[in-house]
Amino acid sequence: MDTPAFDGPGARTILGEAGGSGSTSPTTAPGQNPPPRRVGGKSNVSAACGPCKRAHLACDVARPCKRCINMGKEELCEDVPHKKRGRPKVPKPMPEPYARSRPTTAESSTGGTRWRGVAPSTTTEATQSSGGSGGVGAGGSGGGGPSTIPYLAPPPDPSVSPSPQVFELFTTTDLKIIRVTTACYALTGFHPHEYVNSSLLDWIHPSAKYAVDAARHALPALSGGSNRATEAAMIRLANDDLRSPAEGMPEPYPNVDAHILRADGAYRFFNVRLHVGAGLGASLWRPETLEHAYLVISLLLQEPPRPPPTPITPLAGQSLPSFSSFAAAAEARPQAYYPQQPPTARSSVSSSSALPYPPRSHSPGSYFRPPMNAYPPPPPPPPPSAPNGAYLAAGDIGGPLPVRPGVPLGAYRQTSDPRIHAVAGPSHLGAAAGPPSSAHGDPSRRTWEL
DNA sequence: TTATTCGGAAATTAAAAACA
DNA sequence: GTTTTTAATTTCCGAATAAT
């Protein structure tokens, strides 16, 4: 009872009997002698109950707490799960971030040194696009020159990110890469800026280059060639704006399967799909706008085979959504890229035009197509120049966390039924009890927002 | 007048960095 | 190894606002 006075750091009055309902100030009566009750160093309760937490009011260790008893809400007085406090662990840096094997033919297509832009943002694609306009843009369009980049931020922590299955390249009509989405890092190990100003064909296994080029020529009304103004404009646009298909772009889009170079020198198998983007005003119905045409290249990982997803049945009377729309939702719902389709015999990927919508494998347990024997097996990988294979293996899970803007704050009540986490254990273990915030479904949200 | 909401300070926690 | 710093979380004071 004779709690010692403590006024060091961390000292604070705690909710006492005199506090009553809690909303009255416990630090009253400055003139009176009884000093506010302090408990050495440990001022607050280790975990407030849900109602007190929501009300920003003092709680106590009892359950139900005094305040809830006074409010007549004993049944709601339960501990709530917390996020883990403290400084978060930083993702392990790559051992040798950017000394990598590069495609040997890269220089031949774009010539000479390749500009390296600033690091893409590690947060969202949208941010990356704006960041790209500042960095990639300056160099890509012209001339900003080989900026020296002492440090490139690593991609988001793979351990907490969903696994991306697709990344996108935005290229000129002659396949010169202008922009890349950050998911490329998790899928290939290459940083987005490493693609910039190179040719898409540089990154494709020789056995598939012809097919990819043929798919490009299957696109209607593209005379090739790049326009510097178009390139500059592409850099300024957000990825979402670039993704939209040009007016008159017929579906299915041309696509081929191809092995894409990984940072460790090996190849991964992707379905490469192309369409003309509308972000700069190009319309296939208006030839005069085609000077603003560019290409959106979506690369969908085809390996490893994944179990069949839950079937997606298109709504009656609606056509299948475009691939770009799938790509836009890629990080969020990777299982929704391809609606289920009846398996069909695969036609040659190198047929010049009207390439078919890629048939889905119907082999058991295989969601995406297995590698087609139209391609010879890729050559044995050259010895990797950087020991990042281990990272890439782990990096198969990676990519930015999907941002969920606009989640109503009132969602707390829908997810915080105290019965869900009825047993929280001793209060001092509250932080460790239960999965941190995963019960709320979104670890990126701060708990106080709930 | 009372109850409720909420901004923000202070406290707490844990990992990283610095140091011996 | 220990200590300090840093960066995240939490609790809850107290003012503002709403309800009665």
Side-chain angles (χ1 to χ4, degrees):
Chain A
M1 300 309 172
D2 52 345
T3 51
F6 180 88
D7 47 10
R12 191 196 271 200
T13 59
I14 63 170
L15 185 67
E17 293 83 349
S21 67
S23 60
T24 58
S25 171
T27 58
T28 52
Q32 291 287 40
N33 42 357
R37 287 189 62 196
R38 294 167 194 267
V39 177
K42 230 32 181 160
S43 57
N44 301 334
V45 295
S46 58
C49 69
C52 291
K53 178 186 175 71
R54 243 169 297 150
H56 292 199
L57 291 176
C59 193
D60 59 42
V61 295
R63 293 293 178 270
C65 70
K66 207 168 290 273
R67 180 175 167 273
C68 287
I69 292 173
N70 289 340
M71 302 291 293
K73 295 179 179 177
E74 294 94 332
E75 75 281 1
L76 296 178
C77 187
E78 303 260 7
D79 286 323
V80 294
H82 295 147
K83 295 183 79 170
K84 185 179 169 183
R85 286 195 197 187
R87 185 173 178 166
K89 282 187 177 179
V90 297
K92 282 189 176 177
M94 291 180 60
E96 194 171 340
Y98 303 108
R100 296 211 181 102
S101 62
R102 304 300 306 275
T104 55
T105 60
E107 283 75 13
S108 63
S109 62
T110 55
T113 57
R114 185 169 298 158
W115 177 80
R116 294 179 168 229
V118 299
S121 164
T122 60
T123 54
T124 66
E125 291 295 340
T127 313
Q128 188 257 333
S129 62
S130 60
S133 65
V136 173
S141 62
S147 59
T148 55
I149 308 299
Y151 172 73
L152 291 168
D157 182 3
S159 66
V160 299
S161 300
S163 170
Q165 296 292 314
V166 64
F167 71 102
E168 291 165 294
L169 306 157
F170 303 99
T171 76
T172 63
T173 54
D174 55 356
L175 300 180
K176 178 184 175 185
I177 297 170
I178 306 299
R179 290 265 293 275
V180 187
T181 58
T182 53
C184 70
Y185 191 89
L187 288 164
T188 69
F190 285 109
H191 225 270
H193 73 275
E194 295 181 89
Y195 289 93
V196 171
N197 280 356
S198 67
S199 168
L200 171 66
L201 299 179
D202 291 344
W203 306 87
I204 293 175
H205 189 267
S207 63
K209 285 185 180 181
Y210 173 79
V212 171
D213 203 38
R216 175 177 76 96
H217 285 98
L219 292 167
L222 293 184
S223 56
S226 60
N227 178 320
R228 279 193 99 70
T230 298
E231 293 178 26
M234 286 174 68
I235 290 156
R236 287 192 292 270
L237 246 59
N239 288 353
D240 283 345
D241 296 329
L242 287 171
R243 259 184 209 115
S244 57
E247 200 177 40
M249 182 66 215
E251 294 190 55
Y253 302 152
N255 69 94
V256 299
D257 292 329
H259 287 94
I260 306 295
L261 184 67
R262 287 195 328 199
D264 62 359
Y267 286 83
R268 295 189 92 173
F269 196 59
F270 287 83
N271 182 255
V272 182
R273 192 174 299 207
L274 305 84
H275 71 266
V276 180
L280 302 178
S283 168
L284 302 183
W285 294 339
R286 290 177 291 146
E288 71 274 12
T289 66
L290 290 180
E291 65 185 44
H292 304 302
Y294 60 91
L295 299 183
V296 181
I297 318 285
S298 303
L299 294 98
L300 176 68
L301 183 66
Q302 302 287 75
E303 55 161 350
R306 303 186 341 157
T310 52
I312 300 168
T313 54
L315 296 177
Q318 290 189 354
S319 60
L320 294 173
S322 67
F323 182 77
S324 57
S325 62
F326 286 127
E331 272 102 14
R333 300 188 55 184
Q335 72 274 23
Y337 297 156
Y338 288 138
Q340 204 173 47
Q341 281 210 329
T344 59
R346 174 177 166 75
S347 58
S348 167
V349 294
S350 58
S351 60
S352 61
S353 65
L355 286 156
Y357 199 86
R360 303 270 66 79
S361 167
H362 57 285
S363 59
S366 172
Y367 177 42
F368 299 117
R369 272 174 299 170
M372 306 305 293
N373 52 13
Y375 301 100
S385 61
N388 50 12
Y391 179 89
L392 185 65
D396 283 352
I397 49 174
L401 266 176
V403 176
R404 292 174 52 197
V407 175
L409 300 184
Y412 176 84
R413 282 182 173 76
Q414 297 171 345
T415 59
S416 67
D417 184 340
R419 288 155 204 75
I420 294 174
H421 31 70
V423 181
S427 61
H428 66 282
L429 296 177
S437 83
S438 59
H440 294 296
D442 188 346
S444 69
R445 297 184 63 199
R446 291 162 61 97
T447 303
W448 57 264
E449 291 179 313
L450 298 174

